[in-house]
Amino acid sequence: MSVEERLSEFLESHYECFVKKWSENVLVSSNDPYRSEVLSNGRRMVQLVITFLRADFNEDLLKELAFKVAEERAEAKVNISDFIYNVNLGRSEIFKHLYDSKISLLELQPTINQINSYFDQFIYYAVKRYTEIKDEEIKDTKTFIEQTHQDRLTLLGQMASSFVHEFRNPLTSITGFIKLLQRENPTLDYLTVIQHELEQLNYQISQFLLVSKKEVIGKEKALFHVDHLVKEVEMFLYPTTVDNNVKVEVNIEPTLKLLGYRDEFRQVLLNILMNSIDALKLVYYDKAISIQGYKHEESIYLAVHNNGPVIPQEQIRTIFEPFVTHKKLGTGIGLFVCKQIIEKHNGTISCTSTDERTSFIIRLEDVLTKEEQSKTSSSL
Ligand SMILES: Nc1ncnc2c1ncn2[C@@H]1O[C@H](COP(=O)(O)OP(=O)(O)OP(=O)(O)O)[C@@H](O)[C@H]1O
Ligand SMILES: [Mg+2]
């Protein structure tokens, strides 16, 4: 009879004895839903060891039991270290009894190594499976959190855009009546101030609509003169620039035309210029903004420079992300909206900043050939 056979016979005859000892010291909580399974799994493992010694090792049988244990431990939400402790307890219980088998240590050694390897593999497969299950649970929880966060953001967006719609209608009628009042009473004070404030409100509302993507302002793409648009925006911001002592210099090639949603480009310019004005609040003299528009190779460039404080490099990387703001009352959507609009027009927007000046540069494809330009210029 081989050592393995003798040993398996010995284990079989002492089976109840060491399983009993093991079960007395095993770590298992009284409210573990798989309490009885823990004990039967232990018995099953010893039986497997006996079978492996008698016949050949069968990895699939070992894996099957290891996976079962791992799934139960994960479901019972028990720390896997209890399981490892219990397995090692069983292993040492077997070894303690092996010396009673009267087989010499020398003869026993290879079989002890074999038994050790069965237990090691059992632990390995169980822990591996347990970790997989836990990783999956963490992933599910993360997806759930992200999903609910996303759902809330969507809901918030929908709420905001429906509020915004409700604001817009009365705003349009108020603006209309202000114009009427102005026509009928040209000398009446404060009307221009009210009108300007209403335009500001309209600008903020348009911004929200753009973010919620519910509506495209300026329904049709059109060809427009860049210098006209810049002039219009400069006029709109005039009270603010004067108030803040900011000198604005405009230099736009007069032939420069863009094809796109004019109102959206207006929004982009307003956002960048309002940011520049805000930045210049931290400068005490020679506050200056320069707006340039020019063609270079096949592209049209629009650049807004200011001599405000430098934006640190690590901040530049995030300022185009939504809700990134460094202002007390900022929402952090201005540059995000700019980026969305420019990308929608197949362009790029970038920022560079040094101690001397900060620049926002927009690059757009010059889609119009000279011929098309001359054809369309008569209609403008
Ligand atoms: N010209 C600039 N100079 C310095 N910092 C700037 C400039 N433009 C933008 N920033 C920085 O980028 C941040 C993000 O700008 P963004 O326009 O997206 O949001 P915001 O101006 O803070 O809020 P709002 O939604 O009201 O526009 C600003 O808070 C500011 O820190
Ligand atoms: Mg802004």
Side-chain angles (χ1 to χ4, degrees):
M1 228 204 266
S2 71
V3 178
E4 281 110 318
E5 280 166 342
R6 279 159 63 201
L7 205 57
S8 66
E9 231 170 54
F10 170 80
L11 288 177
E12 192 127 50
S13 55
H14 290 77
Y15 177 79
E16 284 307 331
C17 166
F18 50 64
V19 162
K20 186 172 169 282
K21 282 223 172 115
W22 172 74
S23 55
E24 280 165 8
N25 296 309
V26 85
L27 274 186
V28 57
S29 145
S30 56
N31 51 22
D32 189 318
Y34 291 97
R35 195 179 155 77
S36 62
E37 298 288 321
V38 171
L39 301 177
S40 71
N41 289 336
R43 303 177 82 91
R44 181 86 212 284
M45 179 59 196
V46 182
Q47 268 161 6
L48 279 184
V49 171
I50 295 172
T51 317
F52 295 157
L53 288 176
R54 195 171 289 154
D56 275 342
F57 171 58
N58 184 331
E59 196 182 354
D60 287 342
L61 282 179
L62 189 76
K63 256 193 201 172
E64 194 189 313
L65 181 64
F67 284 10
K68 176 178 180 284
V69 172
E71 280 152 25
E72 289 168 5
R73 295 299 82 209
E75 210 168 301
K77 303 208 180 329
V78 175
N79 195 307
I80 196 68
S81 52
D82 287 3
F83 157 77
I84 298 172
Y85 174 84
N86 290 339
V87 175
N88 286 330
L89 197 69
R91 182 195 327 232
S92 54
E93 208 55 59
I94 289 180
F95 288 160
K96 260 190 245 165
H97 287 79
L98 282 188
Y99 302 111
D100 303 336
S101 67
K102 308 272 182 330
I103 306 171
S104 79
L105 201 57
L106 201 67
E107 277 182 296
L108 267 181
Q109 197 53 54
T111 320
I112 289 180
N113 292 346
Q114 236 169 302
I115 296 175
N116 258 332
S117 106
Y118 302 149
F119 277 103
D120 289 343
Q121 287 185 65
F122 180 55
I123 291 176
Y124 168 76
Y125 286 123
V127 173
K128 188 166 176 257
R129 180 81 191 109
Y130 180 89
T131 315
E132 277 168 11
I133 298 170
K134 285 286 162 194
D135 283 352
E136 200 59 39
E137 276 176 13
I138 292 167
K139 217 171 98 195
D140 284 353
T141 320
K142 255 173 93 178
T143 321
F144 175 75
I145 293 169
E146 273 162 21
Q147 186 55 43
T148 34
H149 183 69
Q150 197 53 44
D151 288 349
R152 281 183 197 163
L153 273 185
T154 312
L155 194 68
L156 202 66
Q158 282 165 354
M159 278 167 65
S161 64
S162 69
F163 277 136
V164 157
H165 273 281
E166 300 306 310
F167 284 141
R168 220 180 200 190
N169 297 339
L171 202 62
T172 314
S173 90
I174 295 171
T175 313
F177 282 116
I178 295 282
K179 280 199 178 124
L180 262 181
L181 265 179
Q182 222 165 12
R183 207 175 306 150
E184 288 170 12
N185 309 278
T187 52
L188 204 63
D189 278 348
Y190 309 125
L191 283 182
T192 43
V193 179
I194 296 174
Q195 199 180 6
H196 187 259
E197 290 302 308
L198 284 173
E199 279 173 15
Q200 282 276 7
L201 206 57
N202 200 33
Y203 152 82
Q204 285 295 355
I205 286 173
S206 306
Q207 183 102 305
F208 270 107
L209 280 179
L210 278 168
V211 173
S212 66
K213 287 191 194 148
K214 282 267 167 196
E215 195 174 302
V216 179
I217 15 177
K219 301 275 183 288
E220 291 297 317
K221 273 194 178 179
L223 194 68
F224 60 89
H225 277 280
V226 177
D227 62 345
H228 292 179
L229 176 69
V230 172
K231 268 267 149 335
E232 187 184 311
V233 173
E234 194 192 350
M235 285 315 293
F236 177 71
L237 288 176
Y238 186 70
T240 324
T241 47
V242 169
D243 201 35
N244 285 282
N245 239 338
V246 177
K247 202 179 117 218
V248 181
E249 185 194 280
V250 179
N251 206 336
I252 310 282
E253 284 176 14
T255 54
L256 218 56
K257 284 175 202 157
L258 277 173
L259 180 70
Y261 299 110
R262 191 180 188 276
D263 282 352
E264 293 195 359
F265 277 103
R266 184 175 182 273
Q267 197 86 18
V268 170
L269 276 170
L270 277 173
N271 286 350
I272 297 178
L273 288 167
M274 285 177 25
N275 281 344
S276 296
I277 297 167
D278 280 345
L280 290 170
K281 284 181 182 153
L282 301 167
V283 174
Y284 297 101
Y285 51 89
D286 289 341
K287 305 179 187 195
I289 292 177
S290 154
I291 311 170
Q292 288 165 9
Y294 52 92
K295 229 188 255 181
H296 180 65
E297 293 172 349
E298 296 295 289
S299 301
I300 290 177
Y301 289 87
L302 256 174
V304 178
H305 311 282
N306 72 60
N307 58 349
V310 61
I311 312 178
Q313 200 54 40
E314 62 278 8
Q315 254 181 42
I316 292 185
R317 256 183 261 131
T318 57
I319 53 176
F320 292 99
E321 297 291 318
F323 308 118
V324 170
T325 182
H326 303 98
K327 298 174 191 169
K328 238 187 194 163
L329 297 174
T331 40
I333 55 171
L335 288 177
F336 171 65
V337 165
C338 293
K339 189 164 181 274
Q340 280 198 321
I341 293 174
I342 297 302
E343 286 178 354
K344 195 197 311 180
H345 289 85
N346 299 321
T348 57
I349 178 166
S350 58
C351 169
T352 58
S353 190
T354 63
D355 284 336
E356 283 74 43
R357 70 176 191 177
T358 293
S359 311
F360 283 84
I361 296 156
I362 295 165
R363 192 186 67 78
L364 292 147
E365 267 172 62
D366 186 11
V367 282
L368 299 172
T369 63
K370 282 211 169 72
E371 223 178 342
E372 282 171 313
Q373 290 226 15
S374 63
K375 240 191 274 164
T376 39
S377 60
S378 52
S379 63
L380 288 167

